[in-house]
Amino acid sequence: MTPDDEGARLAALDGYAILDTAPEREFDDIVRMARRIFAVPIALVSFVAADRQFFKARIGLDLCQTDRAGSFCTHAILGHEVMVVPDARADARFAASPLVTGRPHVRFYAGAPLVTPDGFVVGSVCIKDEVPRTDFSDDQRRTLEDLGRLVMERLEARRLRLAGRDSRKQFESIAAVSPDAIICADGANRIVFWNKAAETIFGYAAAEALGQPLTLIVPSAFRAKHEAGLARAAAGHPTTLVGAVVTVPACRRGGEEFPIELSLSHWTEGGEHRFGAIVRDVTERVRAEERLKREAELDHLTGIANRKVLSDRMEEAGRDGAAATLLLIDLDGFKDVNDSLGHAAGDAVLTTVAARLSAEAGRDALVSRLGGDEFAVFLKGAADPVAGADLGRRLIAAVERPIEIDERCIYVGASVGIAVADAAGWESGALLGDTDLALYRAKAEGRSRVALFTPDLRAVARTRTSVSSGMREAWERGEFEMYYQPQVLLDTGAITGAEALIRWNHPDRGLVSPAAFLPVLEASLLAVPVSEWILRTACQQAAQWRRLGFARFRVGVNLFAAQFRTGDLPRVVGEILTDHGLPGDALELEITENIILRSDARINADLRELRALGVGIAFDDYGTGYASLTMLKDYPVTRLKIDRSFVSGVERSRKDQTIVEAIANLARGFSLDVIAEGIETREQAELMRRHCAEGQGYFFGRPMTARNFGELLKAVRHRADDGACRAHERKAAS
């Protein structure tokens, strides 16, 4: 494919004498800039000749040229707009291209045409990636266009610079019609040539400028340095200006300083020194470059620093041997804002949170957004864990203040992980990894938590990785086992049921703590099959124990979030109950706030179907989170489980007693049952009996195997039978 003006276009290209030339820094800088801005592996400045494309500057590609046929740039030069190919394999024009089917396996392409002042497209500045991209925004298109204009500015400057080296006649001929200011001076620093563009840029007519010292357009602070440089050049000494393209400040007639791009040439004419300057007003370009720099360093949504800036600052601090504190902040409940109110509301929340974090952290801290709803605060020169924890709590408090969007108050929380490094030497990657481990602990401990990194967390992380890799084998080898903790009537001590709890009997490590493997299990592909096995096993045991004479025995089973994603939880539960001949009230399913907070209509619908089967719905760890009242109003809950954190201190803490009373009163108002978890002493049992019908905890029995639980039930039944016999004998004797 060729443009309609191909002949004239090729002539315009030849006029730049750019084909088959060596690399030049000003073009290499542009492709490096493009790769950083767009985060792509390949960036090129390509000129399209009659039968090939020549890469004047390239990064990420070994080739210096390719055939024109089938190339992306052949199509890019057909218009004056940025050409974007989201997925080359899906584009009939390029699917068979060797650059797509073979190395470098191009999938994504975007190219901005290089347009000459006469309107001919001679090539493109383009970026390529090995993966498809469907999110190339209008801002990114404009940025690529800016880079294309930057290439053409430097190409024009190069052409004029080459022309200036031929002879003064050629120099002045070009200067007469050049859009750039062309200025000549003699060895005494007097202006001897001043073109029309110089008049426009600097505000002096040629008659006013000729004969004046060249310092006329040099700001006063730089005049001495300018004069010394020209004197060195006239004396035959090398200078940094001659033959280079530099950006320096200049001065207009009215005294206004502005940036110019200066290309200075030196030659002799009739034995006298001559200096020629090609000058371009680059005010707009400097502004564009500053904008590009900001875009490369700032998060586009919130306006705070991005991950790259954080990484650079951390590496710099590490090289300097400075102490440092890093905080990672992850928002709690943000996904629900996006899901329920839309991404516009989510963006507004992120912007507000960024502003609050910046205000709270202060000027000495670098606040950055790492992506999604994760932020970081970096403090150079500080390694005080106590101060870091205090800052973390203040950041959480700032985040948790209500955010008003469209007359609606939105609430999100935050978890914070903190790591500190002393000045003895540290690496940014290691500090970031330590802080991430601390954040993981904070989120595992619940909402609104601050966690400090301690070395033992590395061992925990290794264990978590080991657990993940070993769970599949554990499932296949049948190493999982169900344990049961009794639930009793607090007034009589009679067993009413049990909570079913999964345990892992590891062949080498013994009984693995649930805290070590349950979070990994719930997030794995095993979540659905294991959760169904838990339900079946627990219901099978409940049926056996009912046949022992405990006709009202009820088993409680914790649900995984993954069970709701399958879409068939009510059907599965119904089949299991039928298979074991159990009524619905023999089963109680326990849900946590993490599940409820997904605000998924499917979850509510599934729970209502389960209630229709007669299955009980218990809300676990009640009182520790945000969505409790919403849950009570909207979800078909039948029982509240008071969290052990309130029960464990109820005999000592009036605040805990007040919370327990409030939960019990709230439950009565909603006609809900209440059970207290974590009862460990007789005093706690007596106190909880005032508010709850049932309880569970180590005071009544630790989680135990099905066999041991069965023996416990038999012993309870035997005691009951003995008591009935003695009562009958006493009655007969009387």
Side-chain angles (χ1 to χ4, degrees):
M1 300 182 68
T2 56
D4 295 335
D5 57 356
E6 180 67 354
R9 189 193 71 83
L10 291 174
L13 175 61
D14 288 340
Y16 288 103
I18 194 74
L19 296 177
D20 302 318
T21 58
E24 296 177 46
R25 182 178 138 186
E26 53 260 49
F27 298 102
D28 292 341
D29 286 345
I30 292 173
V31 296
R32 281 194 291 268
M33 185 186 305
R35 184 164 75 169
R36 286 197 306 272
I37 292 171
F38 298 103
V40 293
I42 300 173
L44 307 167
V45 172
S46 169
F47 294 97
V48 181
D51 58 354
R52 62 192 174 112
Q53 60 174 341
F54 167 70
F55 302 134
K56 175 61 179 176
R58 64 187 189 277
I59 190 166
L61 188 67
D62 293 335
L63 302 173
C64 62
Q65 66 178 25
T66 67
D67 290 339
R68 177 173 173 175
S71 69
F72 292 85
C73 294
T74 296
H75 293 266
I77 66 170
L78 296 178
H80 287 201
E81 303 293 331
V82 172
M83 186 183 88
V84 178
V85 180
D87 188 349
R89 289 187 185 172
D91 194 313
R93 296 173 297 176
F94 310 108
S97 171
L99 296 175
V100 176
T101 59
R103 290 177 62 86
H105 301 286
V106 176
R107 295 291 300 276
F108 167 81
Y109 170 92
L114 302 179
V115 185
T116 70
D118 295 327
F120 297 110
V121 183
V122 294
S124 72
V125 55
C126 60
I127 56 174
K128 299 179 181 182
D129 205 341
E130 300 165 355
V131 295
R133 292 190 179 192
T134 58
D135 58 348
F136 200 71
S137 67
D138 291 338
D139 282 344
Q140 290 174 310
R141 289 173 184 261
R142 286 191 290 271
T143 298
L144 194 58
E145 287 175 345
D146 288 341
L147 292 178
R149 283 190 287 272
L150 186 58
V151 170
M152 285 307 302
E153 287 177 4
R154 296 191 173 179
L155 189 63
E156 287 291 330
R158 177 184 182 278
R159 177 169 64 175
L160 294 176
R161 190 166 64 249
L162 292 175
R165 292 172 183 167
D166 292 337
S167 68
R168 178 175 177 175
K169 182 178 179 180
Q170 288 181 321
F171 181 86
E172 294 183 350
S173 176
I174 294 171
V177 294
S178 172
D180 297 322
I182 307 296
I183 304 169
C184 295
D186 60 19
N189 197 32
R190 293 186 299 269
I191 298 171
V192 296
F193 182 84
W194 187 267
N195 74 344
K196 285 287 185 183
E199 293 181 338
T200 302
I201 292 175
F202 293 101
Y204 296 99
E208 297 174 297
L210 293 174
Q212 295 292 323
L214 192 55
T215 50
L216 178 73
I217 59 173
V218 178
S220 57
F222 297 90
R223 286 175 182 171
K225 184 177 181 180
H226 160 78
E227 291 174 344
L230 289 186
R232 283 197 304 273
H237 300 301
T239 68
T240 56
L241 283 181
V242 174
V245 179
V246 295
T247 301
V248 295
C251 190
R252 301 190 203 275
R253 180 171 189 154
E256 174 195 355
E257 290 190 21
F258 67 104
I260 62 170
E261 186 177 77
L262 173 68
S263 177
L264 188 66
S265 299
H266 173 223
W267 70 93
T268 57
E269 189 175 296
E272 296 184 2
H273 291 283
R274 291 287 185 268
F275 296 94
I278 304 172
V279 177
R280 171 167 295 184
D281 181 350
V282 292
T283 302
E284 291 304 318
R285 195 190 79 194
V286 168
R287 288 173 182 168
E289 289 176 345
E290 289 174 350
R291 178 168 61 83
L292 292 174
K293 184 175 184 293
R294 287 195 302 272
E295 290 178 355
E297 294 182 347
L298 298 183
D299 176 61
H300 71 281
L301 174 64
T302 63
I304 63 176
N306 60 17
R307 179 185 287 270
K308 178 183 181 301
V309 174
L310 173 66
S311 178
D312 291 346
R313 293 282 184 88
M314 289 177 63
E315 289 179 3
E316 177 187 354
R319 288 193 302 268
D320 293 345
T325 299
L326 179 65
L327 300 88
L328 291 183
I329 304 101
D330 188 80
L331 301 188
D332 299 325
F334 176 74
K335 181 179 182 298
D336 304 306
V337 175
N338 263 345
D339 292 346
S340 59
L341 301 180
H343 290 285
D347 289 349
V349 167
L350 292 175
T351 302
T352 300
V353 167
R356 290 180 180 179
L357 294 177
S358 298
E360 191 63 48
R363 291 184 175 181
D364 294 335
L366 172 69
V367 180
S368 61
R369 180 182 175 217
L370 304 187
D373 60 347
E374 190 172 13
F375 296 84
V377 175
F378 179 66
L379 295 164
K380 181 179 178 181
D384 183 347
V386 175
D390 180 63
L391 174 59
R393 286 186 286 270
R394 297 202 313 271
L395 294 176
I396 290 174
V399 170
E400 289 181 345
R401 295 200 306 268
I403 300 171
E404 187 172 340
I405 299 175
D406 296 331
E407 300 183 353
R408 179 195 296 264
C409 281
I410 295 174
Y411 296 87
V412 294
S415 301
V416 176
I418 304 171
V420 299
D422 59 29
W426 51 274
E427 293 183 356
S428 60
L431 182 61
L432 185 61
D434 290 346
T435 316
D436 195 53
L437 290 175
L439 177 61
Y440 186 91
R441 168 176 279 182
K443 294 184 74 66
E445 291 176 349
R447 293 172 176 270
S448 303
R449 301 298 179 92
V450 172
L452 286 165
F453 170 79
T454 52
D456 64 287
L457 289 182
R458 294 195 186 105
V460 171
R462 288 192 294 270
T463 300
R464 191 164 63 242
T465 302
S466 174
V467 165
S468 179
S469 61
M471 274 195 308
R472 172 64 65 178
E473 293 181 4
W475 172 243
E476 294 172 352
R477 292 197 297 255
E479 293 174 6
F480 292 126
E481 182 180 4
M482 294 307 300
Y483 275 47
Y484 301 87
Q485 185 173 33
Q487 297 175 336
V488 305
L489 289 173
L490 292 175
D491 57 353
T492 66
I495 295 176
T496 58
E499 181 178 359
L501 302 163
I502 187 172
R503 295 293 186 264
W504 179 1
N505 288 310
H506 193 280
D508 299 322
R509 297 201 296 266
L511 205 61
V512 180
S513 166
F517 76 89
L518 267 180
V520 182
L521 174 61
E522 291 187 38
S524 73
L525 296 176
L526 289 174
V528 172
V530 171
S531 61
E532 184 172 337
W533 171 81
I534 291 172
L535 272 170
R536 289 191 178 277
T537 304
C539 287
Q540 181 183 21
Q541 287 296 155
Q544 290 179 11
W545 292 330
R546 282 195 165 212
R547 289 194 292 271
L548 283 176
F550 294 85
R552 303 297 299 172
F553 189 90
R554 177 189 59 239
V555 66
V557 176
N558 293 277
L559 289 177
F560 292 176
Q563 290 173 272
F564 289 99
R565 294 196 290 269
T566 63
D568 63 352
L569 178 60
R571 179 189 63 77
V572 171
V573 170
E575 288 180 357
I576 292 173
L577 292 173
T578 300
D579 290 346
H580 296 292
L582 289 174
D585 62 7
L587 176 64
E588 182 176 74
L589 298 176
E590 299 185 11
I591 55 175
T592 63
E593 186 181 81
N594 285 337
I595 293 176
I596 290 296
L597 281 178
R598 295 174 185 272
S599 301
D600 191 334
R602 175 72 258 178
I603 293 175
N604 202 344
D606 284 352
L607 292 177
R608 294 190 181 281
E609 286 189 51
L610 291 166
R611 279 298 298 137
L613 295 174
V615 173
I617 307 296
F619 187 59
D620 200 9
D621 302 332
Y622 188 77
T624 61
Y626 295 126
S628 305
L629 294 178
T630 300
M631 181 277 301
L632 295 181
K633 180 170 67 73
D634 296 337
Y635 287 80
V637 177
T638 57
R639 182 153 71 158
L640 302 183
K641 301 191 74 175
I642 300 178
D643 186 68
R644 67 183 68 247
S645 63
F646 305 123
V647 176
S648 62
V650 72
E651 72 270 40
R652 301 181 305 275
S653 170
R654 179 56 192 164
K655 291 182 179 179
D656 284 342
Q657 292 179 27
T658 301
I659 292 173
V660 169
E661 290 171 7
I663 293 173
N665 290 333
L666 189 63
R668 279 193 293 272
F670 281 93
S671 300
L672 302 176
D673 295 330
V674 183
I675 183 172
E677 297 183 286
I679 296 175
E680 298 184 357
T681 67
R682 184 177 301 279
E683 186 179 2
Q684 290 172 1
E686 289 298 322
L687 286 170
M688 298 310 299
R689 187 164 62 87
R690 303 174 189 175
H691 309 289
C692 309
E694 295 182 50
Q696 71 181 81
Y698 288 177
F699 180 69
F700 307 109
R702 293 174 177 268
M704 60 191 77
T705 64
R707 178 178 178 179
N708 290 342
F709 196 92
E711 294 297 326
L712 175 64
L713 289 178
K714 289 177 183 178
V716 169
R717 186 183 63 181
H718 182 68
R719 287 196 299 270
D721 290 345
D722 285 349
C725 288
R726 286 193 295 272
H728 179 72
E729 289 171 357
R730 286 194 298 271
K731 183 177 180 181
S734 64

